[in-house]
Amino acid sequence: MIKNGRRGTLSGKLKVKGVQGHIAYPHLARNPIHQFAPALAELAATEWDRGNQHFPPTSWQVSNIHGGTGAGNVIPGELVVDFNFRFSTESTAEGLKQRLVAVLQRHGLEHELSWTLGGEPFLTPQGSLVEAMRTAIEARTGVSAELSTTGGTSDGRFIARICEQVVEFGPINASIHKIDEHVNQADIEPLKDIYKGVLERLAGA
């Protein structure tokens, strides 16, 4: 598999403001968890886009959610929600921000929101680099590689700002982010040969 593109990543930290109080006197408090619940349901069910032939649809996922003092009889005064968009080229970071804020406003939430744009999506179409990589892989392994934009982000998102063509190819990542993450030693030699083959093909182009 050759990675010829990656989705963008946009993270947000949302603080929903409530009014802390005793759980036996809810009329004197405002529970931000209860207030956010309908908005959460709407955001989780939203179709942000339908993707395209290169990318799956944009997804929105909550990674952490926290509210409460730890006591069982206190309505919290604040709810903190961490979330992330993995977005295709069918959406933009600014467009996703606007749509999410519109949901919060529609539900009347008093909130604070901060954003971190980890990277824009990028795509390298069929071209000299893709063909050189495909040919080198097949020559060394006999395998016809497929193009894919699945998975997480990579440093390719930075290189794509200054290079028209960016692809990623490396060892099998079956143990990625696991305890004892590793690469099989037997994969190194053919990988070296493939990289060499790509350079030779590009130099002869």
Side-chain angles (χ1 to χ4, degrees), residues 3-198:
K3 299 292 187 181
N4 67 318
R6 295 285 188 173
R7 292 173 294 174
T9 176
L10 174 65
S11 296
K13 181 178 285 291
L14 170 67
K15 295 182 179 180
V16 180
K17 300 291 186 177
V19 176
Q20 183 172 313
H22 196 292
I23 210 161
Y25 303 96
H27 59 289
L28 300 178
R30 191 173 79 244
N31 194 321
I33 299 175
H34 292 189
Q35 286 192 302
F36 180 62
L40 173 59
E42 180 175 343
L43 291 168
T46 295
E47 180 182 81
W48 303 96
D49 61 47
R50 296 185 177 181
N52 54 40
Q53 62 178 327
H54 302 291
F55 291 94
T58 291
S59 68
W60 181 82
Q61 293 291 317
V62 172
S63 57
N64 290 283
I65 187 164
H66 175 76
T69 64
N73 62 346
V74 177
I75 294 171
E78 182 179 86
L79 175 69
V80 180
V81 182
D82 296 315
F83 62 85
N84 177 266
F85 284 103
R86 291 300 166 102
F87 62 103
S88 76
T89 49
E90 295 297 307
S91 291
T92 65
E94 286 305 313
L96 293 171
K97 289 179 183 180
Q98 292 171 10
R99 290 179 64 188
L100 185 135
V101 169
V103 172
L104 302 180
Q105 292 175 341
R106 187 159 57 250
H107 287 273
L109 299 177
E110 182 184 353
H111 69 277
E112 296 177 4
L113 182 57
S114 60
W115 296 97
T116 302
L117 178 61
E120 297 281 359
F122 70 92
L123 179 70
T124 296
Q126 295 278 2
S128 58
L129 183 56
V130 168
E131 288 309 309
M133 180 66 75
R134 267 184 163 160
T135 305
I137 292 169
E138 188 162 8
R140 180 59 175 82
T141 67
V143 175
S144 179
E146 64 177 87
L147 299 179
S148 172
T149 61
T150 59
T153 56
S154 74
D155 288 345
R157 66 191 190 273
F158 304 117
I159 300 170
R161 296 176 184 174
I162 58 173
C163 295
E164 290 184 3
Q165 300 182 64
V166 177
V167 298
E168 304 165 29
F169 181 77
I172 295 172
N173 65 354
S175 65
I176 191 169
H177 288 353
K178 294 183 179 180
I179 296 173
D180 297 326
E181 182 175 351
H182 65 277
V183 172
N184 290 328
Q185 195 170 6
D187 291 340
I188 302 301
E189 194 67 20
L191 190 61
K192 176 262 294 180
D193 294 339
I194 291 168
Y195 289 160
K196 181 172 180 286
V198 171

